[in-house]
Amino acid sequence: MLIKKDINHSKYIFWISVLSIWIISTFADRIWWNFYSNTPSWDQADYLNSALDHARALSFISGDSPSDFSSFLDKSPKIPPLASIINGAVIALAGDAPHQAAWSLSLWNGFLIFNIASWGLYLRGKKFALFCVLISAFSPFLFHLRTDYVLELPLISAITFYLFHLGRWSDKSIGGKWIQLIIVSFACASSLLIKQSSLLVIIPSLLFIVILSFNRDKKFRLQLAIFFLINILAILPWLHHNWILTLSGTYRAVFESAAIEGDPYILGFKSIFWYFPYLDNQFGSIIFLSGLSGIIFSFLSYLRSFRAPPRLVDIFNNNNYKWSWIYFNLIACWTFTTFIPNKDERYIACTIPLITLLISLGLTKWSDWLDTYFKLKSYFLLLIPPLSFLFSDSANRFYNLDKIQSKYYPVKEIISIVRSHQTSDEKQTVIVVPSTPDINQHNVSYFGRLQGGNILGRQLGQSLLHIEPVLKYSNWIILADGDQGSVSSNSLALDKSIRDSSLFIKVREFPREKEGSYSLWKRNSSSLRKIEFHNRFIELANGMAQGPLGIKLIFDEIEIEHMLDGHFKYQNIVRNKSLLKISSNPKDVESLWSLSLLKILSNRPSEADIYLRDLEILLPNNPWPSAYRGIVNLASWNPWKASLIADRAYKKNPNYFLKGLGDISALFRGAIWRLKSASHSVPNAIKSIDEALKPIDK
């Protein structure tokens, strides 16, 4: 009884120690956030906007609540919503200013620390777990993530939770329990619903489990099947609704960004060894070298023993599976991340928990060696992580707080001026011609929407076609003088056109840290022009009857309009007008085209199909209503209906596009015998689209 009491007391002391470490790290974070008045730049402001969107959507804070579940899913078109939902809840409690919203990072950090502590206990006990916790709390890289509003910290926290519980469930000696299955299913779904890069860990780990299942009993394989089913059901609503935008956004982030930033070829020497130099910065020199030397020392000691044959999984622990699980996932995740074309230091984040375990193992080996051979109580080694942090570049950031705090950010003042010219419920869009870390469309939107605001930022100037619409219809514009980085000549041309015109007046100029200034411009009251894009939209929607040529013209203009009017105010006007006309005349073709296009733009393919079906009946000799119906049904994961529509329309109106669409849809529903037909029809369909667009190209 006394022994049991001592064990419980020891565990109590351990968890109090873990809690204390989290509190100390949170205190350091709050010093940074409360004194460092930073303005979030591109990604940071984008994630804060997403958190605000979800807080408003769930009525945590004031704002426009979505009318249905699909409207809620619209809030996360490119990145899964779970982190934004949780961060939005924290914003509702703590406040929506950057330093207040950052309390969510402290909670994610606590989740990470307690998960890594649990994993450490499972692997080697309390001393090892304390090393894991201290390295996590004092890692310069993790400190950077705790003081930078990005999604990598939530991702690391969820991944640690997932890998730990998946390892326990798949461990034959203690796993296979139904409660473990429920926990790991929740952990995997959470990881998937935070960020797509979780797949870099999830795919190889599940591949390992699938291979393992061939040597396990029927119960384990049944649990694995249920695991897959639960996760599919968890991510299906979001993925089904946003899959097109998700794929396009991921492609741009992974491939296009890599090309623009000049990242190395993935099979090149530079790419393969890209992330290794960052390890020293991520953990700190003292921690990294101490842990690495401990691992090397253990490895050499093992090789000197007479045990044969040597096996890597036997080096550190007699329980092979626990460490085999760590080694496999570390190597697989590192490899997967290395072969992603786009490179950035924070993209290796998913491997950090696994590397932390390995470095902690090296420190624990030094501790055990000192205890064994010198009879020294080596708890002083626990001071290595905090000492390493004190000598890292991250600590220098605190020493320079005065300089950083004095840096001037004009975004808040710009938004304050715009608000002073607003009526109570007026929605405004501010055009940002430069896009710099200090001022860009994302942080303008963020500060413009704080405390229930309705000001959005949008960037224009990438094309010369933007000049005329901006001069005609924009109301507020932010320009910049001086060095703006890699700004295109088109942006400079737009800047010059605005300054040279008599349509805008300079409201105020703001200093920049670098040479130059920012300036806020407002349309002169005498040159105000009422935007009546709703009338132009109806004309453009009718152009859908022309096929690819009409679609190209539509999206060229709508793309610019959505920048000029970030609130899409024209859509309600078009919708109300069209519905009113249809109520009196259900065969009004113009209104049906308008409503179809609105539903397509709003990502409502099933609703667009209803109006397109009516157009298909009213315009039997036009192949394009049927073609659009096939596309929207394919977009809503209904290839059976898409194939039927396209094949039936092709018989009435032979058309290369309909033939290709029918074959592609049939392949998606499993009709592999149409592969040969698709190999001919799809290239012909692409060629016919190119020919239709030649008038625009000329």
Side-chain angles (χ1 to χ4, degrees):
M1 191 73 179
L2 183 61
I3 294 174
K4 185 176 180 181
K5 184 177 180 180
D6 290 339
I7 292 172
N8 289 335
H9 180 70
S10 177
K11 286 186 177 180
Y12 175 79
I13 294 296
F14 170 77
W15 288 112
I16 287 293
S17 301
V18 172
L19 178 63
S20 300
I21 293 170
W22 173 62
I23 291 172
I24 291 170
S25 65
T26 301
F27 180 72
D29 298 345
R30 297 320 303 174
I31 291 175
W32 176 262
W33 279 107
N34 288 328
F35 288 97
Y36 178 30
S37 55
N38 188 15
T39 292
S41 54
W42 292 289
D43 287 351
Q44 295 84 347
D46 205 15
Y47 296 138
L48 281 164
N49 276 318
S50 181
L52 274 178
D53 282 337
H54 287 81
R56 287 183 170 190
L58 295 169
S59 299
F60 293 157
I61 59 178
S62 60
D64 297 329
S65 299
S67 56
D68 53 27
F69 187 57
S70 294
S71 299
F72 176 75
L73 293 176
D74 288 336
K75 306 298 181 184
S76 51
K78 298 175 185 176
I79 294 177
L82 181 59
S84 294
I85 293 172
I86 295 173
N87 295 345
V90 173
I91 283 176
L93 295 172
D96 53 13
H99 70 280
Q100 295 170 326
W103 272 107
S104 63
L105 297 176
S106 298
L107 296 180
W108 286 113
N109 181 46
F111 188 48
L112 169 64
I113 283 176
F114 279 87
N115 279 318
I116 205 78
S118 301
W119 205 347
L121 282 177
Y122 165 69
L123 289 171
R124 284 185 64 92
K126 291 190 287 293
K127 183 191 290 185
F128 174 75
L130 279 176
F131 275 120
C132 294
V133 169
L134 286 167
I135 291 173
S136 298
F138 292 99
S139 161
F141 178 64
L142 291 178
F143 171 73
H144 175 71
L145 295 184
R146 300 198 309 264
T147 55
D148 195 20
Y149 206 96
V150 290
L151 292 185
E152 269 62 33
L153 187 59
L155 177 64
I156 291 175
S157 305
I159 285 296
T160 305
F161 183 52
Y162 160 75
L163 283 176
F164 169 50
H165 286 285
L166 186 63
R168 283 175 57 86
W169 168 67
S170 58
D171 188 341
K172 193 172 184 179
S173 61
I174 63 167
K177 299 180 177 63
W178 286 101
I179 185 62
Q180 291 173 330
L181 171 72
I182 294 171
I183 293 173
V184 76
S185 298
F186 171 77
C188 184
S190 299
S191 301
L192 288 169
L193 287 172
I194 287 177
K195 201 173 183 183
Q196 295 95 314
S197 51
S198 62
L199 291 170
L200 298 172
V201 174
I202 291 172
I203 290 175
S205 64
L206 292 183
L207 180 62
F208 184 93
I209 299 298
V210 169
I211 295 172
L212 195 71
S213 68
F214 291 113
N215 291 323
R216 295 292 180 88
D217 56 20
K218 292 182 179 178
K219 177 187 174 184
F220 185 85
R221 290 195 288 271
L222 174 63
Q223 289 180 336
L224 182 60
I226 294 173
F227 168 86
F228 279 112
L229 179 63
I230 291 173
N231 278 276
I232 289 171
L233 293 175
I235 67 171
L236 191 62
W238 172 79
L239 184 61
H240 177 266
H241 186 78
N242 291 305
W243 71 276
I244 295 176
L245 290 173
T246 300
L247 287 179
S248 62
T250 302
Y251 176 81
R252 286 195 297 272
V254 174
F255 296 100
E256 290 186 2
S257 294
I260 294 171
E261 296 167 9
D263 290 325
Y265 174 58
I266 60 172
L267 296 179
F269 181 85
K270 187 177 181 181
S271 175
I272 292 172
F273 290 93
W274 180 274
Y275 290 107
F276 284 97
Y278 290 114
L279 289 174
D280 182 45
N281 295 331
Q282 288 173 329
F283 291 95
S285 300
I286 299 176
I287 291 179
F288 183 69
L289 293 176
S290 300
L292 183 62
S293 62
I295 294 169
I296 294 172
F297 176 73
S298 298
F299 181 71
L300 294 176
S301 299
Y302 177 76
L303 290 180
R304 291 183 62 184
S305 69
F306 293 99
R307 284 178 288 175
R311 295 190 305 164
L312 183 63
V313 293
D314 290 333
I315 295 175
F316 303 118
N317 200 289
N318 292 327
N319 190 335
N320 298 336
Y321 183 78
K322 294 179 181 180
W323 287 100
S324 296
W325 178 246
I326 304 294
Y327 301 145
F328 172 83
N329 282 287
L330 175 55
I331 294 170
C333 179
W334 185 278
T335 303
F336 271 52
T337 306
T338 296
F339 289 109
I340 294 297
N342 195 15
K343 308 290 185 185
D344 189 273
E345 182 180 359
R346 60 187 172 98
Y347 295 163
I348 203 69
C350 290
T351 64
I352 294 301
L354 297 164
I355 299 174
T356 297
L357 295 173
L358 210 56
I359 291 176
S360 300
L361 186 59
L363 292 174
T364 306
K365 280 299 178 180
W366 280 120
S367 176
D368 293 343
W369 184 72
L370 290 172
D371 286 346
T372 302
Y373 292 99
F374 294 94
K375 308 301 180 184
L376 292 174
K377 294 299 180 183
S378 55
Y379 284 102
F380 69 90
L381 292 178
L382 294 172
L383 296 174
I384 288 179
L387 286 174
S388 179
F389 179 82
L390 290 176
F391 288 100
S392 69
D393 291 337
S394 295
N396 292 332
R397 295 169 68 186
F398 283 97
Y399 306 145
N400 296 322
L401 269 177
D402 291 339
K403 295 180 181 177
I404 298 172
Q405 193 176 4
S406 63
K407 185 176 178 180
Y408 175 69
Y409 295 95
V411 179
K412 293 181 183 178
E413 288 189 58
I414 290 174
I415 295 301
S416 177
I417 292 172
V418 176
R419 279 183 175 170
S420 67
H421 288 77
Q422 274 184 301
T423 57
S424 57
D425 297 325
E426 187 181 9
K427 296 180 178 180
Q428 288 285 1
T429 301
V430 179
I431 304 301
V432 184
V433 176
S435 187
T436 66
D438 294 346
I439 296 183
N440 53 73
Q441 63 274 29
H442 301 302
N443 57 30
V444 168
S445 293
Y446 171 64
F447 284 104
R449 298 167 68 238
L450 294 183
Q451 301 175 355
N454 284 315
I455 301 170
L456 295 177
R458 291 293 183 265
Q459 183 187 5
L460 282 170
Q462 301 91 331
S463 169
L464 292 176
L465 297 175
H466 296 172
I467 294 177
E468 184 180 354
V470 168
L471 293 178
K472 283 184 177 180
Y473 302 117
S474 60
N475 194 28
W476 291 95
I477 303 173
I478 300 173
L479 301 178
D481 288 317
D483 181 20
Q484 301 172 38
S486 55
V487 176
S488 69
S489 58
N490 294 335
S491 294
L492 296 176
L494 176 57
D495 182 289
K496 187 175 186 302
S497 299
I498 293 165
R499 295 178 190 274
D500 292 345
S501 75
S502 58
L503 302 174
F504 299 91
I505 57 173
K506 185 190 291 187
V507 178
R508 186 173 163 187
E509 199 167 87
F510 305 88
R512 299 179 64 188
E513 183 183 18
K514 296 181 179 179
E515 190 176 326
S517 63
Y518 291 108
S519 54
L520 177 64
W521 298 70
K522 187 180 187 300
R523 179 172 291 277
N524 193 322
S525 58
S526 62
S527 65
L528 285 176
R529 292 188 62 171
K530 187 177 180 181
I531 300 178
E532 295 185 346
F533 185 74
H534 53 274
N535 293 327
R536 178 60 180 152
F537 181 89
I538 295 171
E539 296 175 17
L540 291 170
N542 286 329
M544 292 177 71
Q546 302 175 35
L549 181 61
I551 291 293
K552 179 70 168 61
L553 293 171
I554 287 168
F555 283 94
D556 282 349
E557 291 201 34
I558 287 178
E559 179 185 17
I560 298 174
E561 174 60 25
H562 283 186
M563 295 295 104
L564 294 170
D565 174 18
H567 298 279
F568 313 150
K569 291 178 280 191
Y570 73 91
Q571 293 189 354
N572 284 332
I573 301 173
V574 173
R575 185 180 299 107
N576 294 336
K577 276 188 174 183
S578 300
L579 290 174
L580 184 62
K581 285 185 179 180
I582 284 181
S583 64
S584 58
N585 179 16
K587 296 183 179 181
D588 188 273
V589 173
E590 185 180 76
S591 298
L592 289 171
W593 279 123
S594 296
L595 291 169
S596 300
L597 182 54
L598 280 178
K599 294 302 179 183
I600 291 171
L601 293 173
S602 302
N603 192 19
R604 299 293 185 274
S606 299
E607 296 176 34
D609 180 59
I610 297 171
Y611 298 114
L612 291 169
R613 182 189 59 198
D614 293 339
L615 285 165
E616 192 179 35
I617 296 170
L618 293 171
L619 304 171
N621 296 321
N622 189 323
W624 295 111
S626 300
Y628 301 139
R629 282 195 73 197
I631 292 170
V632 298
N633 277 283
L634 201 57
S636 60
W637 294 11
N638 194 348
W640 299 271
K641 187 175 180 180
S643 176
L644 178 65
I645 291 168
D647 290 342
R648 185 176 59 199
Y650 179 72
K651 292 177 182 178
K652 293 170 60 177
N653 297 294
N655 177 293
Y656 283 129
F657 187 84
L658 287 172
K659 177 62 176 172
L661 181 61
D663 287 337
I664 287 291
S665 302
L667 287 175
F668 276 111
R669 65 175 171 82
I672 57 174
W673 55 88
R674 293 183 64 169
L675 182 61
K676 183 177 180 180
S677 176
S679 66
H680 297 289
S681 63
V682 173
N684 286 332
I686 295 172
K687 185 178 178 181
S688 68
I689 293 173
D690 289 339
E691 290 177 353
L693 295 178
K694 279 183 180 178
I696 293 181
D697 296 335
K698 291 179 181 178

